[in-house]
Amino acid sequence: MKIGIPRGLGIYEYPILFVNFFKYLGIEVVMSDKSNNKILKDGIDNSLIESCLASKIFIGHVANLVKRSKEEKIDYIFIPRLCTFENNQTICVKFFAIYDICKNIFNAKFLTLNLDYEKNKTELNAFLKLGKKLGKSKPQVIKAYLKARKMQKIYDKKKYIEQTEKILLNDKKLKVLIVAHPYVLYDEILGKRIIKILEDNNVELIYANINSLTMQNPKIFKWIRTKDSEYINISKSIFWKSSRNILNGVGTNINNVDGIIYISVFPCGTDSLVNELTIRKTKNIPSLNLVLDEQDADVGINTRIESFIDILEMNKNKNMRISG
Amino acid sequence: MQNKKYKYRVSFPHIGNYYVPIYNWFSNILDKNTTKIIIPKKMSKQTLEFGSNNSPDFICLPFKYNVGNFIESLNQGANVLVQAGGGCKYGYYAELQEQILKDMGYDFKYITLVEKGKIKPFKIYKKFKELNPNLTFFKFIYRFCVAALIAYFLDKFEDYIRLNISYEEKIGKFEVIHKIFLLKLRNIKSISQLFKVKNKYMKKLKNIKLISKEDRNEKIKIGIIGELFTSMEQFSSNNIEKKLNKLGAATKRYTTVTYLLVKKPLEMKRLIKKSKKYIEYELGADGTTSVAHAIELADNGYDGIIHIKPFGCTPEENAIPILQKISKDKNIPIMYLTFDTQNSDTALDTRLEAFYDMLVMNKEKKKVDVLDNKEALDG
């Protein structure tokens, strides 16, 4: 059996977990091509004009897999449906529906994982249901899930330790906090493009989505309560999982950085609310709000980032002069 | 200002005609000597301007209207603002709105009825008790029930009007009764009084002469589905229902407060089962109901469907690709309208007229087809 996984949206929530789960079950996994202009174009053609850029790119990835499915004999295309999480957390409603949308747009076989704590109680139950559809026995599925979960945790921890070391190193480089959802940040034509520009400008990057909250394992029992974390200083009522993780990163790193860059896609509903609130609550730190859409020229973004970095450098020199 | 003599000036955002039950509820649980309830100004271009100037760019439209309402009320002297909450982004409105208005320099107390998607009656009661120390929990709940009943009857009343307004013999009678009914409902004191008023006006409403049944069948029937705010707050959708009625179409709309709070949670499973062919899971907020209702309307022989949503409404965006498929499968025309801060009446008029004309032509064509078939059978 062969399963195709599109690189986008929900996959970035737990990339290692999803891929390894199938691998441990003995199923071959094919990823869609990395985001490129062709995929973006396919996505735009197949989706509604008003939907957000990230979802358009996702649909482009699915189209890519559908095209390849005949040649490479892909049996199913895997689209996780994320809905509710522990502690009354939820996620943007696009994730609720993306599986059903793809099912209606494309003529292909789809496979889903319904991650809905209100209905399934735990993550394991959702995976068991998926395993049943694949025709695997329960012990097999549990073993594969636990192993894949562990891999995900090791991966997250490694990243987290790397980042804390980076923060602790008292480098003379400018430190900038990148605030973006993982599916924007790790996309070739969205986040990675901007990261490249920033790295060319010799800036130390700290990612808000890597923090102590993101590496927590999901709870096995419903009644275990997790402690409130740093996000509470910025927003009390935040209930989107992805945004909460990012805000936690903002809350923990805010004293270690010189500036914040928000990257969001047009028209992201959650970001429009949460980023606005964060900018209003962290007024003493310079921030840059980048909203990406389909017709972005690199030059425009380049200019904005360069001038932002110039401001940060001027600020830093000023502070050094005052303190020195 | 005369407002100064009241310690608390309470205000809330507009949504359709539901200011009536909300006003009734607040006026009965709060002390009349210390509190004044400010009904926000009627929605206008000014409201939207205030709202869109002070909100994030691409947030969904209801947020902007809410902010506009609040600013207008605060300018009138309000110092206590009440906001509800709900699914999707609505649950997060409260926190950001409070921050925006505080940043603008207003001083006020902010009450949210729904916290983290859950309604906790005792917590809300405590918040209102701060405004009125004499309030008992029983009275608080009882008055809420009365207000809910008012909303229920109001919905029923308006449902009847929507269905029949284009059938009335003398145009304008429905509107007059509707306006009087709204005024009477505002000052209801008890449940028995409510029933009396409701019975009286329902009777009056049903006594209005309608055109004959044959003529009624000739009229075009259009179902309106979509997002809740644009459906219920007619100003935000440029009075689309009235416009359709003026063209001569009867409209049906499912979304009312009663439907959202009571009926929808109960029939959610049934709706998903019904639309099994198209969706497996919930689409979030009103997306699922839009899909299920489109199927229902198509099966019930409606001539056309209009799907409305404000700009930036993700759940309805989710529903559109599926609606497009339903439209193809069931052969029913669906028009998609998106409302934003810049709406011109003329553009909407043209589109509605074109859609209406197309439906009329469709209907005539169907009739001719039926006749042809008959002749063919006879021959």
Side-chain angles (χ1 to χ4, degrees), chain B residues 245-308:
Chain B
N245 291 333
K246 243 182 217 165
L247 287 173
T251 56
K252 161 132 187 133
R253 171 184 106 195
Y254 291 90
T255 322
T256 58
V257 160
T258 329
Y259 178 79
L260 292 173
L261 293 182
V262 185
K263 211 176 161 197
K264 189 182 143 194
L266 292 178
E267 66 167 10
M268 203 66 210
K269 266 191 186 158
R270 190 181 67 84
L271 291 181
I272 292 179
K273 213 174 174 188
K274 205 174 168 187
S275 31
K276 212 166 112 195
K277 203 178 148 195
Y278 302 97
I279 55 174
E280 251 177 73
Y281 303 104
E282 279 183 45
L283 302 179
D286 294 344
T288 330
T289 45
S290 288
V291 170
H293 289 156
I295 296 173
E296 201 171 299
L297 289 168
D299 290 344
N300 287 352
Y302 273 72
D303 299 294
I305 298 173
I306 293 180
H307 178 262
I308 56 178

Side-chain angles (χ1 to χ4, degrees), chain A residues 111-155:
Chain A
L111 197 66
T112 191
L113 169 83
N114 183 18
L115 218 54
D116 189 347
Y117 274 66
E118 273 171 22
K119 291 216 170 94
N120 291 329
K121 301 279 189 304
T122 59
E123 204 176 83
L124 181 59
N125 283 351
F127 274 97
L128 280 174
K129 269 186 194 166
L130 174 64
K132 208 176 168 189
K133 255 184 243 165
L134 291 167
K136 303 283 173 189
S137 70
K138 268 187 186 176
Q140 259 180 320
V141 176
I142 293 173
K143 208 175 151 194
Y145 164 72
L146 289 177
K147 251 175 148 183
R149 243 289 151 226
K150 206 178 166 193
M151 292 290 282
Q152 175 74 41
K153 175 127 193 180
I154 290 169
Y155 174 77

Side-chain angles (χ1 to χ4, degrees), chain A residues 4 7 22-23 28 42 45-46 51 68 79 88-89 102-103 111 126 138 145 176 205 218 220 251-252 263 280 291 310:
Chain A
R7 288 173 204 262
F22 291 119
K23 274 188 184 161
E28 204 181 329
D42 276 350
D45 288 348
N46 279 314
S51 46
R68 282 165 52 186
I79 300 174
N88 297 324
Q89 293 181 89
C102 288
K103 234 177 58 181
L111 197 66
K138 268 187 186 176
Y145 164 72
V176 172
L205 297 177
I220 298 171
T252 40
I263 308 172
R280 279 168 187 271
V291 182
D310 284 348

Side-chain angles (χ1 to χ4, degrees), chain B residues 178-317:
Chain B
H178 186 205
K179 272 184 184 150
I180 301 170
F181 187 61
L182 285 179
L183 276 177
K184 292 268 172 196
L185 279 183
R186 237 196 248 187
N187 299 315
I188 295 277
K189 288 277 173 309
S190 65
I191 288 188
S192 60
Q193 193 194 352
L194 171 64
F195 272 91
K196 243 186 234 165
V197 169
K198 170 230 152 193
N199 285 340
K200 190 178 157 197
Y201 283 92
M202 265 318 234
K203 218 179 195 178
K204 269 193 186 177
L205 199 65
K206 285 193 175 152
N207 281 340
I208 292 174
K209 269 193 181 168
L210 300 176
I211 52 176
S212 66
K213 213 165 186 187
E214 287 89 55
D215 287 345
R216 264 189 251 177
N217 284 341
E218 293 288 301
K219 295 254 182 183
I220 296 287
K221 283 194 289 182
I222 295 176
I224 297 179
I225 54 174
E227 194 264 348
L228 66 102
F229 188 85
T230 35
S231 311
M232 295 201 281
E233 176 54 57
Q234 286 295 303
F235 180 82
S236 69
S237 51
N238 290 25
N239 295 318
I240 187 169
E241 280 172 11
K242 263 191 197 151
K243 279 188 174 145
L244 287 171
N245 291 333
K246 243 182 217 165
L247 287 173
T251 56
K252 161 132 187 133
R253 171 184 106 195
Y254 291 90
T255 322
T256 58
V257 160
T258 329
Y259 178 79
L260 292 173
L261 293 182
V262 185
K263 211 176 161 197
K264 189 182 143 194
L266 292 178
E267 66 167 10
M268 203 66 210
K269 266 191 186 158
R270 190 181 67 84
L271 291 181
I272 292 179
K273 213 174 174 188
K274 205 174 168 187
S275 31
K276 212 166 112 195
K277 203 178 148 195
Y278 302 97
I279 55 174
E280 251 177 73
Y281 303 104
E282 279 183 45
L283 302 179
D286 294 344
T288 330
T289 45
S290 288
V291 170
H293 289 156
I295 296 173
E296 201 171 299
L297 289 168
D299 290 344
N300 287 352
Y302 273 72
D303 299 294
I305 298 173
I306 293 180
H307 178 262
I308 56 178
K309 72 164 200 299
F311 174 75
C313 180
T314 328
E316 298 303 330
E317 272 168 22

